[in-house]
Amino acid sequence: MLLSIIVPTYNSANYVEDTLKSILKNDSDDFEVVIVDDGSTDNTVNLIYERFRDKRVKIYQKNHMGPANIKNFAIKQAEGKYITFVDSDDIISQKYASEIFDCIERSLPDLIIFKYYKFNEVIEDSSFVSFGGSNINTMGTMVWNKVYAASLLKSIKFPEGTVFEDVMFSAEALLNAKKVVFLDTSLYFYRQRTSSLTKSNNIPPERHLDILKCFNNFFEKNSINDEEYTTKRQLSILINTLILDHCKRVVNSKKDRKISRKVVKKLLNYRKVIRKELGKNILDDRISKRMTKFLDLFLLRINAFKAYMIMEYTKSFLKKLIKNN
C-alpha cells in the first residue's frame, strides 16, 4: 500500500459524502481511506457504511478522544508507506493520487507540500485563488496540504489533549525530513464554513493557551541551536504569527474580559521563551523582539484592550524612569 488517506470525522454527516466521493474518484487501488470517527452523535457513521462499500475504505469508531488523540490513533492504523490527511468537509482534486504517486516515484521524499484552494459552502459559486508555500512560515500549519512518509511519522506525534494539535506538527516534520518536495499545483479544496468561523470564536479563552503546550512540546523534542539562521527566522515568524492570531481570536470571542486579558498577557509573555530558544545571537533576538512588539501594537488598536495596554506601557516606562533617576 503506497498511500493512506486519513479522514477524521465528528458529526460530519452534512459534508462527508462529498469528501469521500472526491477521494474515491481518484482511479487507483494503491491507496486506502482510513476513516476514524471521534464519537459522532449524528448520522455520520451510518451514512458512510450505507453509501461507501469500497474495499479501499476502512472505518474505525472511537469514543470521543479529541483531535490530537484521534489522529495519533489513525496513524497507527495506517498501512501505507506515505500518510496524508483530509478534513471531513473538504474536497481533493481528481488528479490528487496521480500527482502524489508521480512525485513519490520521482523523488522518494520524506515530505511533500502542495498548494490548495479555498472555497465557500458551495464549490460552484466560488472563485479560486491558490495558496501555500514551501517554507516553515508559508506552508501553513494545517496537515492536509502535505504528505508524510510513514517512517517520518514514527518520530513525531500530535501533542495529546490539545485542540490546536497541528500548530507545530508540520514544522517538526519539515525539520526532521531529509528530503522535502514542493509541488506548485493545487490538489486540495479547503471549505470556508461560516459556522466553523463562528465556532472558533466561541472557544473559551483559556483553551487558546493550548498553543503554548504545543510550542513547549516542539522545543523539548527538537534541538534548534544547530539550525541555520534562516530556519530560526522562519520559526520565529511562524510562532509569533500564531500568537498574534490567537490573541485576535481571544479578543473577538467577546468572552469575560478579565479572563481574556489574562490569556492575552500569557500569550504575549511567551516571547521570552521565543527569544531564549531562537535568539541565539543579537540579530535573531532583534527579529524576535520586533515580531512580538508587533503583537503589542496590534492590541493597542483594539478598543477592548487599549486602556489595559496603555497602562502596562506606562508602568514599564515609569519603572525605567525611576531606575534611571
Side-chain angles (χ1 to χ4, degrees), residues 26-38:
N26 282 258
D27 187 18
S28 173
D29 289 327
D30 209 8
F31 71 83
E32 63 175 358
V33 184
V34 182
I35 301 169
V36 282
D37 187 76
D38 194 17

Side-chain angles (χ1 to χ4, degrees), residues 10 13 15 26 80 142 159 218 235 275 301:
Y10 178 69
Y15 298 98
N26 282 258
M142 55 280 187
F218 172 81
L235 281 169
R275 289 198 291 268
R301 293 168 51 196

